[in-house]
Amino acid sequence: MQNEKTSSIDRRQLLRNLGGGMGMLGAAQLLASDQAGRFGTHFPAKAKRVIHLFMNGGPYQGDLFDPKPALEKYAGTRPPGADLLTERPTGGLLPSPFRFRRCGESGVPVSELLPQLSRHIDEICVLRSLHADNPNHGPALLQMNNGTITPTRPSMGAWFLYGLGSENTNLPGYVVLCPGRPVRFSILWNSAFLPSQYQGTYINHSKIEPDNMLPHLRNTRWDRATQREQLDLLQQLNAQQTAARRDRSMLDARIESMETAFRMQFEGSEAFDLDRETQQTRTAYGKGHFANGCLLARRLVERGVRFVQVYYGNGQPWDTHSGHDDTVPKLCRNIDQPIAALIADLKARGMLEDTLIVWGGEFGRTPTSENGNGRDHNHHGFSMWMAGGGVKGGMTYGETDDFGFRAMVDKMHVHDLHATILHLLGLDHERLTYRHAGRDFRLTDVHGRVVGEIIA
């Protein structure tokens, strides 16, 4: 596939020929249609949208979804399998103090730290054998979000929009919710060499009033009709500029962003207004930034947003190099109720079957100790999970070694994760390409395998 198709060229030509008046009123719709996804699905999709719950900092898999009783037996020792290179030197094996029980009809083990989420384990596929390429936050965040440790590649959300577009032209197709700034910040949702209209829209939801989340959204000077007239005139001038340019992607993106901003004045405020939810729903999700993020994510995907990322918090809250056992229960309390409510809410609305939920961090943590009571980064083997969107629930996939240090059985690289997500969205990761700098690029680069064993 190429980055410019004949249909795109024809539409651009039509935009050039539009003289103004009533003709320009349709220009925005034509442009929006052109940017609604370059290719559509390659085959029938199981998922229409994705919610990515990102535990920035990296949660320890042995506390939550991958119990390792051998850690108790060999606590304090450092067997040969613990000699893997991580970011920092670590000590002996450190057992998790948290207990597991088999949950649901499937009997998948879940930690006592997640009592509400455990009730939905039959909807969840636990991926126990993830592995990545780098133990440092920056490169690992880039690989999980952008498919490579190189900071010049489009994010996976940008690839989703490039292939499929959004279902609602009145809202951004890709929204990133974070009550602060994750490490590496906006490069994690950038569009790089893809047209810039596919980049993510960052929303700091530390304050949940729509006017705070979306500053300068409302125009208090001019009414809607006046704004529409001004924007139509501006778009006529822009259309004249595009006629004289060979590479118009940046200008086209600005044109579309102005149209989206105009429409968001009237739909954006409603979509981001949690006060429109019932008290019963607000209570079900609970309180806190992450709870609000989960509820906002449901409201956004319900309105046609293609991809929503919910970062747990500012910085890297799951980065527990010290005081691990004291910190993790607090973190889990903040995610347990909201995620359980999100799954139940989507299911009740008939949306879970075509909404893919992805949970995890940029890597895991070591089964060995750091500073006596902490855990270092571990990219050799860690857990994530997916639910809904065509994924088999009530199962685990892959295994780590006896101590939970390295993925050993049915290993699943981050490239495989991305290939599988794209497949669930109806996109072939080998065919979704963009030509740049003389070669075809894709999210999975030259790697990636669709893990068909977890697809329903």
Side-chain angles (χ1 to χ4, degrees), residues 157-323:
W159 282 109
F160 297 165
L161 280 194
Y162 172 63
L164 300 175
S166 180
E167 295 180 313
N168 187 341
T169 59
N170 297 329
L171 293 170
Y174 173 14
V175 175
V176 179
L177 301 169
C178 182
R181 297 167 64 98
V183 172
R184 290 297 181 102
F185 195 48
S186 59
I187 200 170
L188 302 178
W189 49 86
N190 85 111
S191 60
F193 49 74
L194 288 179
S196 56
Q197 62 262 38
Y198 301 127
Q199 69 185 355
T201 298
Y202 163 67
I203 303 290
N204 183 334
H205 70 287
S206 55
K207 296 180 179 179
I208 62 172
E209 297 79 11
D211 289 343
N212 287 318
M213 284 190 282
L214 304 168
H216 314 300
L217 180 64
R218 298 179 186 277
N219 190 321
T220 58
R221 186 174 180 181
W222 292 302
D223 61 23
R224 182 171 186 170
T226 302
Q227 291 180 65
R228 181 70 264 176
E229 290 176 358
Q230 292 182 333
L231 187 55
D232 288 344
L233 174 60
L234 185 59
Q235 303 299 50
Q236 290 179 54
L237 299 175
N238 285 332
Q240 293 176 16
Q241 285 293 311
T242 62
R245 294 172 180 247
R246 177 171 296 180
D247 181 5
R248 300 182 297 274
S249 62
M250 293 183 65
L251 182 56
D252 287 346
R254 292 182 181 181
I255 293 172
E256 178 59 18
S257 69
M258 287 188 289
E259 285 289 345
T260 301
F262 171 74
R263 295 189 295 266
M264 277 187 67
Q265 293 183 80
F266 315 105
E267 185 157 338
S269 295
E270 186 275 338
F272 286 90
D273 189 355
L274 294 185
D275 286 339
R276 295 174 181 266
E277 296 288 336
T278 66
Q279 187 57 51
Q280 181 180 5
T281 299
R282 296 293 298 274
T283 301
Y285 277 82
K287 297 180 179 180
H289 296 319
F290 187 75
N292 291 333
C294 287
L295 182 50
L296 283 169
R298 191 225 77 207
R299 288 182 62 83
L300 291 171
V301 298
E302 189 177 36
R303 287 159 175 77
V305 175
R306 181 71 65 187
F307 183 45
V308 180
Q309 284 185 297
V310 184
Y311 281 79
Y312 173 82
N314 183 49
Q316 44 202 43
W318 290 81
D319 193 28
T320 52
H321 288 285
S322 61

Side-chain angles (χ1 to χ4, degrees), residues 4 30 43 54 67 89 125 128 147 149 164 216 249 264 273 290 368 392 448:
E4 293 291 344
L30 286 167
F43 40 79
F54 203 92
C125 175
R128 289 180 171 175
I149 64 174
L164 300 175
H216 314 300
S249 62
M264 277 187 67
D273 189 355
F290 187 75
T368 51
K392 292 178 181 177

Side-chain angles (χ1 to χ4, degrees), residues 341-359:
L342 176 62
I343 294 174
D345 198 2
L346 289 172
K347 189 174 182 179
R349 294 168 185 268
M351 294 179 61
L352 184 61
E353 62 185 22
D354 57 9
T355 302
L356 179 65
I357 303 175
V358 181
W359 178 95

